[in-house]
Amino acid sequence: ILWAYLSNRINNRLVLLLSAVCSVLPPVIALINSLFPLPLVLYALAFFFLGATNSGVFIGFFNYLLEIAPEEKRPLYVGFIHTVIFPTFLLSTLGGVIIQATSFNFLFALTLILGLVAVFLAYRLLKVKK
């Protein structure tokens, strides 16, 4: 509900930026939990932020794409983006390979770094006027 409200009332860039911020929090929680055990309620927040990230990216990404795409080329843009994001479905397999080769903490640290890159890139998105 929050993402839809922000998407409709403010802009999709903000949805993507806040979703990127939410993506940074689960690896932070997991890394803190590896140093000292957190209460289960706090550890459960990692899953809340994972869900918030997934839904925010889904809402913000496609709506932002539709905002920036010229109307006559929208079907082409949507088809292209689905082709480009297909390899991301293999990332969970890559995560398993990384864990086998290193450790969970390494994967969490890598995810944290990539999440910070996502925040930076989301911040640099063009501001689209409604």
Side-chain angles (χ1 to χ4, degrees), residues 4 9 45 48 52 55 60 89 96 108 121-122 127-128:
R9 304 281 185 203
L45 282 176
F48 172 81
S55 61
F89 291 111
F108 294 144
L121 293 174
K127 294 180 182 176
V128 179

Side-chain angles (χ1 to χ4, degrees), residues 13-84:
R13 180 183 172 271
L14 179 63
V15 173
L16 290 171
L17 180 60
L18 293 176
S19 297
V21 169
C22 285
S23 77
V24 171
L25 298 174
V28 167
I29 292 169
L31 287 169
I32 290 171
N33 190 59
S34 71
L35 297 174
F36 55 91
L38 294 174
L40 191 57
V41 173
L42 291 178
Y43 192 70
L45 282 176
F47 296 98
F48 172 81
F49 289 119
L50 284 171
T53 299
N54 287 339
S55 61
V57 166
F58 185 77
I59 289 172
F61 187 74
F62 288 103
N63 287 340
Y64 184 80
L65 176 69
L66 293 175
E67 283 180 351
I68 63 170
E71 191 169 339
E72 66 278 358
K73 293 187 178 181
R74 284 183 183 162
L76 179 65
Y77 277 55
V78 171
F80 177 73
I81 204 63
H82 279 97
T83 302
V84 169

